[in-house]
Amino acid sequence: MNPPPRGAALVTGASSGIGLAIAHELARRGHPLLLVARDPGRLAEAAAGLRRAHGVVVHELPGDLGEAHAAEALLAECGARAVLPLEVLVHNAGFGALGPFDESSPDAAGSMIALQTAFPVRFTRLALPGMLERGRGRILIVASTAAFQAGPFMAVYYACKAFLLSFAEALAEELRGRGVTVTALCPGPVPTGFQDRAGVTDVPLARSALAVDAARVAREGVDAMERGRRLVVPGLANRLLVFANRFAPRALALRIVRRLQERRTAKA
Ligand SMILES: NC(=O)c1ccc[n+]([C@@H]2O[C@H](COP(=O)([O-])OP(=O)(O)OC[C@H]3O[C@@H](n4cnc5c(N)ncnc54)[C@H](OP(=O)(O)O)[C@@H]3O)[C@@H](O)[C@H]2O)c1
């Protein structure tokens, strides 16, 4: 007997980096895809690659998830496009910005908060009743190892990731036993377009013991999501760092991150 068809998977920020790798991982496992990112050209390219590689149905939904009412608009689009109900929800779209907070654009901080906190919360709230009704759903939230530590010179980004981790863990516990699971994926440094966009250009990621490639992050994230795990940190060195951080005095940890980010800010 054939296994039942997999439900649709929505991936935000799916045109590059970790989101694109997660989309490949989900397509390999047979999920039809709904992909979101702003640049329609890059999204179309990503979608074509996924169709070619895995032969699954892929819908492109270009849009800016930092805009007001993005959650309502996207859910309506999903309903109109997907033949199968939404089974997997991956909140991945995000960006960082390196530099002193007092010199940052107030609009940039607002967009970051809208994209990486307000949107995932609102969309999850809107999509969750359907998943609970069907007694079936997987939610994967891409936070970061930055979620475990405050980050001077990247203050808003680190705070957004801490928010996402807290939200994901709380929701995972609230929903326990109801057929819908929530997994927080917390990668350390991953070589993608993220570093350039954030202004972090000096980090020799290829030589860093903490760096894990996007394909492995995606595989470990989707595996953890399928098992219904609450949290996954890809890479042993990153897991050790997160563990050690629990015992470090907060003031010391803050100063270490400050020193690291300051050096990057000076070079950027
Ligand atoms: N790379 C790392 O070292 C690292 C480490 C830990 C966590 N993360 C997290 O992983 C996630 C993915 O990052 P990445 O490294 O894969 O970066 P990336 O390659 O820059 O990908 C970011 C994706 O998000 C989309 N996006 C950005 N702003 C958007 C918006 N307003 N609306 C809709 N889509 C938007 C981008 O496409 P468009 O620009 O076309 O919209 C792109 O598809 C982020 O949440 C990031 O914080 C990254």
Side-chain angles (χ1 to χ4, degrees), residues 8-12 32-36 59-61 65 70-90 119 123 127 134:
L10 173 73
V11 184
T12 71
L33 297 172
L34 298 141
L35 307 182
V36 190
H59 295 288
E60 298 149 43
L61 307 174
L65 302 178
E72 284 80 356
L74 182 60
L75 195 66
E77 277 284 328
C78 290
R81 306 283 192 99
V83 185
L84 294 162
L86 204 58
E87 183 179 312
V88 175
L89 177 50
V90 182
F119 173 81
F123 191 87
R134 294 185 291 277

Side-chain angles (χ1 to χ4, degrees), residues 49-121:
L50 283 153
R51 288 186 198 105
R52 249 194 330 271
H54 311 286
V56 294
V57 172
V58 183
H59 295 288
E60 298 149 43
L61 307 174
D64 185 341
L65 302 178
E67 284 183 349
H69 310 301
E72 284 80 356
L74 182 60
L75 195 66
E77 277 284 328
C78 290
R81 306 283 192 99
V83 185
L84 294 162
L86 204 58
E87 183 179 312
V88 175
L89 177 50
V90 182
H91 288 302
N92 163 77
F95 65 95
L98 179 69
F101 178 67
D102 60 297
E103 291 172 21
S104 66
S105 135
D107 289 344
S111 317
M112 191 180 285
I113 292 166
L115 177 65
Q116 297 190 78
T117 63
F119 173 81
V121 170

Side-chain angles (χ1 to χ4, degrees), residues 23-240:
H24 273 283
E25 203 53 51
L26 291 167
R28 190 171 301 125
R29 299 172 197 220
H31 289 280
L33 297 172
L34 298 141
L35 307 182
V36 190
R38 286 166 305 178
D39 183 326
R42 287 203 314 159
L43 193 60
E45 217 175 285
L50 283 153
R51 288 186 198 105
R52 249 194 330 271
H54 311 286
V56 294
V57 172
V58 183
H59 295 288
E60 298 149 43
L61 307 174
D64 185 341
L65 302 178
E67 284 183 349
H69 310 301
E72 284 80 356
L74 182 60
L75 195 66
E77 277 284 328
C78 290
R81 306 283 192 99
V83 185
L84 294 162
L86 204 58
E87 183 179 312
V88 175
L89 177 50
V90 182
H91 288 302
N92 163 77
F95 65 95
L98 179 69
F101 178 67
D102 60 297
E103 291 172 21
S104 66
S105 135
D107 289 344
S111 317
M112 191 180 285
I113 292 166
L115 177 65
Q116 297 190 78
T117 63
F119 173 81
V121 170
R122 193 163 182 85
F123 191 87
T124 303
R125 173 62 189 84
L126 295 173
L128 197 50
M131 288 179 161
L132 287 171
E133 222 169 84
R134 294 185 291 277
R136 194 180 160 86
R138 302 274 188 222
I139 301 172
L140 181 65
I141 297 184
V142 182
S144 165
T145 48
F148 298 93
Q149 166 66 47
F153 297 98
M154 255 186 141
V156 178
Y157 177 75
Y158 276 58
C160 285
K161 293 306 187 186
F163 177 98
L164 282 177
L165 175 60
S166 174
F167 173 63
E169 289 198 289
L171 206 55
E173 180 57 29
E174 264 189 52
L175 297 175
R176 196 149 51 85
R178 297 177 67 190
V180 179
T181 61
V182 183
T183 303
L185 169 59
C186 293
V190 184
T192 65
F194 176 89
Q195 286 76 22
D196 265 357
R197 288 187 189 196
V200 184
T201 49
D202 68 304
V203 194
L205 273 189
R207 279 182 279 129
S208 166
L210 299 177
V212 176
D213 66 63
R216 181 168 154 209
V217 167
R219 194 171 56 248
E220 292 191 19
V222 174
D223 280 348
M225 180 197 81
E226 288 198 334
R227 288 193 206 111
R229 282 179 53 196
R230 183 174 44 82
L231 172 68
V232 56
V233 179
L236 179 64
N238 289 308
R239 284 195 290 281
L240 287 174

